[in-house]
Structure formats: C-alpha cells, structure tokens
Amino acid sequence: DEDYQANGKQKKAGVAILVSDETDCKPTKVKRDKEGHYIMVKESMQQELTILNIHAPNTGAPRFIKQVFRDLQRDLDSHMIIVGDFNTLTPYRSIRQKINKDIQDLNSALDQVDLIDIYRTLHPRSTEYTFFSAPHHTYSKIDHITGVKHSSANVKEQKSQ
C-alpha cells in the first residue's frame, strides 16, 4: 500500500491518504501544508482523480477551508473527492437547530467549488452523526466526504443498480 502523509512539526495535526496496491493508481502530484492540516494527491487511473484530505483547525475552520480551496484552485477539478474533519458543525436540518454563520460559510465554500455531501446523497434519511453536544443536545456532523455534484450523481446511479 502507498501512504501519503502531511504532519505538523508539533504533532498537533496530521492527515494521510492510503492507496491500496491493488489499484492501478499512479500519483501525478502531491501537495501538503507545513502544519499537517491537508494533503492533496492527484492520481492517474483510467482518468485523473484528485483526493484532498483536510483536518481543519478547531477555530476559524470555514475560513481555513476557503483558503485551502483558494490555494489549490488550479488543482481542484471535476474529478475530486474531499474528505476529512472540517471542525465545523453541520447540523441535520431540524427546526430546533439554527444554522449559524460558520455553517453558512462552510456551505458557501462547498457550493463555490460545486461540492455536495456524498454520504447525505446516498443516505438522505439517515440520522448518523459524528458529534453530539451534551450541553446543547444537538447532533452534528464534522467529518465529511464530499464530491463534485455531477460526479456524485454517478455514485447514486451505481448504488441503485
């Protein structure tokens, strides 16, 4: 297996992408930040695929994610998957939960690069979550798997077959 990593110097952050030897993938480009908050691997298979793994900082996550998108703008294309811990609560649509400015900013950043939540596309009624706030009694999702809208439609079609 091939392992691509980005690690911070103080070991506070780190991300990795593991590619199985059983795939016919050949990396064409790897970019990582010094702090270990993201790594991007562009691979060539039958077509080029870009995988970006982000671990956003605990504060200012939407701003950080937008900056990553700006920094990697030339490398992000219609064949990409972005995964990771966005450290921004994205609540399930509920009357009791308000959508705050951080969530609006994250949704705006995802919309600008035409991304959707692949898990939500495949499981629209699922109540799975990755974060529960006991004081606020809210369920949220901070870990995400996103893809380009038109590519994600293919995933949904293949699931139904």
Side-chain angles (χ1 to χ4, degrees):
D1 293 341
E2 191 70 35
D3 182 19
Y4 303 95
Q5 298 180 41
N7 299 302
K9 292 178 184 168
Q10 299 171 352
K11 301 204 189 285
K12 290 184 179 179
V15 292
I17 296 173
L18 181 64
V19 179
S20 172
D21 286 339
E22 294 179 20
T23 62
D24 190 25
C25 295
K26 295 180 181 34
T28 58
K29 185 183 270 187
V30 177
K31 285 189 175 182
R32 45 178 73 83
D33 75 328
K34 300 180 258 202
E35 289 81 35
H37 285 289
Y38 75 81
I39 185 165
M40 182 209 68
V41 178
K42 204 174 260 288
E43 299 196 314
S44 177
M45 299 186 310
Q46 289 132 348
Q47 63 185 19
E48 196 161 74
L49 173 67
T50 302
I51 303 170
L52 173 62
N53 186 349
I54 298 174
H55 180 205
N58 292 336
T59 57
R63 194 175 33 237
F64 172 82
I65 292 167
K66 282 195 221 179
Q67 186 61 49
V68 169
F69 290 166
R70 277 192 294 272
D71 292 348
L72 299 176
Q73 185 175 13
R74 290 190 177 123
D75 296 304
L76 301 179
D77 54 34
S78 62
H79 300 288
M80 69 177 161
I81 297 173
I82 300 175
V83 301
D85 180 348
F86 291 3
N87 262 321
T88 297
L89 305 178
T90 305
Y92 297 103
R93 306 260 183 241
S94 165
I95 295 169
R96 284 185 251 143
Q97 292 179 322
K98 293 181 187 173
I99 296 180
N100 68 28
K101 184 165 175 12
D102 279 349
I103 294 166
Q104 289 174 346
D105 286 350
L106 176 59
N107 288 337
S108 170
L110 294 175
D111 284 344
Q112 285 175 355
V113 287
D114 207 25
L115 295 174
I116 60 168
D117 186 327
I118 294 172
Y119 184 82
R120 282 284 147 240
T121 300
L122 296 174
H123 308 281
R125 291 184 173 79
S126 173
T127 57
E128 298 295 318
Y129 59 92
T130 59
F131 181 79
F132 174 70
S133 171
H136 299 104
H137 300 286
T138 57
Y139 296 90
S140 303
K141 195 170 168 223
I142 59 175
D143 302 310
H144 299 273
I145 301 173
T146 63
V148 177
K149 286 180 185 173
H150 75 272
S151 296
S152 299
N154 295 339
V155 172
K156 196 168 188 174
E157 281 176 21
Q158 289 181 3
K159 182 188 180 221
S160 65
Q161 292 177 355

